């Protein structure tokens, strides 16, 4: 008789294998996530970790000629930024969809969003390797591949939102636009709170220093 750990490993393997349906049948995959319990947080988190790892490799392991030297700061900052934006995307969309009769739960949307990143992971890895053998004159190949990968990922997100929340195309576009707007508002609110907290801390510190100096 198989142990619980072995059964969980087999289930995880089946879920990761099922996630590959994002290439062939994204609509059916969304149905499996919602109705058939064919995915879990664990498999989605593994995909998300793989995505973060590939993005970091794209920043630091890409061939020198094709590397984005501007970057997003150090690797730790980059990881935090990616995770923060992703969770803000999932949380905001869930709130927006709840107010606009969306049928998907947060779990459905989170897993679906993670699975939509799989093509990026699969295509980006050989692209990173190619940057070490291509010359600058062949950079159009990398540029074209980037257009394809980002466009393909965007289309998958549109399909995922449509089928997870059971929207028509117009409702899906509306949902995406409101979600992006909501993310901007939340980001501004967080920035304002951070700035206010920083000023408050500086004010308190200055008062403490003045009291200590006078004493």
């Amino acid at each position: 008789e198989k142990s619980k750990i072995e059964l969980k490993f087999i289930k995880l393997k089946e879920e990761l294998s099922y996630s590959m349906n994002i290439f062939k049948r994204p609509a059916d995959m969304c149905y499996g996530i919602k109705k058939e319990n064919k995915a879990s947080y664990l498999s989605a988190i593994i995909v998300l970790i793989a995505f973060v790892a590939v993005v970091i490799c794209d920043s630091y392991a890409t061939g020198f000629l094709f590397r984005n030297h501007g970057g997003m700061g150090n690797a730790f900052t980059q990881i935090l930024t990616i995770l923060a934006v992703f969770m803000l995307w999932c949380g905001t969309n869930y709130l927006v969809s709840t107010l606009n009769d969306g049928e998907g739960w947060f779990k459905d949307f989170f897993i679906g969003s993670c699975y939509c990143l799989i093509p990026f992971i699969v295509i980006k890895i050989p692209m990173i390797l190619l940057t070490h053998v291509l010359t600058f004159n062949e950079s159009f190949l990398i540029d074209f591949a980037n257009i394809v990968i980002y466009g393909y990922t965007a289309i998958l997100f549109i399909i995922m939102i449509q089928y997870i929340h059971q929207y028509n195309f117009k409702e899906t576009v509306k949902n995406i636009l409101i979600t992006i707007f909501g993310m901007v508002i939340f980001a501004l609110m967080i920035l304002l709170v951070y700035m206010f907290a920083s000023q408050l801390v500086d004010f308190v510190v200055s008062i403490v220093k003045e009291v200590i100096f006078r004493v």
Side-chain angles (χ1 to χ4, degrees):
E1 187 177 342
K2 294 181 179 179
S3 66
K4 289 183 178 180
I5 295 177
E6 288 178 324
L7 290 174
K8 288 181 179 180
F9 180 78
I10 292 171
K11 186 175 186 299
L12 177 61
K13 185 178 178 181
E14 290 174 348
E15 290 171 354
L16 291 173
S17 177
Y18 181 76
S19 69
M20 292 298 109
N21 283 309
I22 191 69
F23 288 101
K24 299 180 294 182
R25 299 185 297 273
D28 292 343
M29 187 204 70
C30 292
Y31 182 85
I33 292 173
K34 281 187 64 178
K35 303 294 186 181
E36 299 177 345
N37 196 31
K38 289 189 175 182
S40 67
Y41 275 121
L42 180 58
S43 62
I45 290 171
I46 289 174
V47 172
L48 182 58
I49 291 172
F51 171 76
V52 173
V54 169
V55 172
I56 297 301
C57 288
D58 187 41
S59 296
Y60 296 95
T62 298
F64 183 80
L65 291 175
F66 302 94
R67 195 173 301 168
N68 180 12
H69 298 284
M72 292 169 54
N74 59 45
F76 182 71
T77 301
Q78 198 169 351
I79 291 170
L80 288 181
T81 302
I82 294 168
L83 294 178
V85 171
F86 187 81
M87 293 309 299
L88 185 60
W89 158 259
C90 292
T92 304
N93 184 272
Y94 176 68
L95 292 175
V96 170
S97 302
T98 300
L99 297 173
N100 287 278
D101 301 322
E103 296 184 10
W105 294 96
F106 178 84
K107 179 183 178 181
D108 303 330
F109 188 80
F110 177 82
I111 296 173
S113 293
C114 289
Y115 283 5
C116 284
L117 300 173
I118 290 175
F120 180 95
I121 299 168
V122 172
I123 300 172
K124 199 69 174 178
I125 292 174
M127 284 175 57
I128 294 172
L129 297 175
L130 279 174
T131 59
H132 293 276
V133 296
L134 295 177
T135 65
F136 192 74
N137 291 331
E138 298 166 319
S139 61
F140 70 93
L141 293 173
I142 298 298
D143 294 336
F144 177 74
N146 279 323
I147 292 172
V148 170
I149 191 173
Y150 289 118
Y152 184 31
T153 302
I155 291 171
L156 289 177
F157 268 97
I158 292 172
I159 294 172
M160 183 272 296
I161 291 172
Q162 184 172 356
Y163 282 92
I164 287 293
H165 293 305
Q166 293 298 302
Y167 286 149
N168 57 39
F169 182 76
K170 182 179 178 181
E171 291 171 332
T172 302
V173 173
K174 177 183 175 183
N175 176 275
I176 292 171
L177 293 176
I178 296 176
T179 298
I180 294 173
F181 178 75
M183 290 174 67
V184 172
I185 296 300
F186 276 123
L188 289 174
M189 288 175 59
I190 293 170
L191 180 61
L192 288 173
V193 170
Y194 173 77
M195 292 174 63
F196 176 77
S198 297
Q199 291 180 350
L200 181 61
V201 170
D202 290 340
F203 176 71
V204 172
V205 170
S206 64
I207 291 178
V208 171
K209 285 181 177 180
E210 184 175 348
V211 170
I212 294 174
F213 179 77
R214 290 182 180 276
V215 171

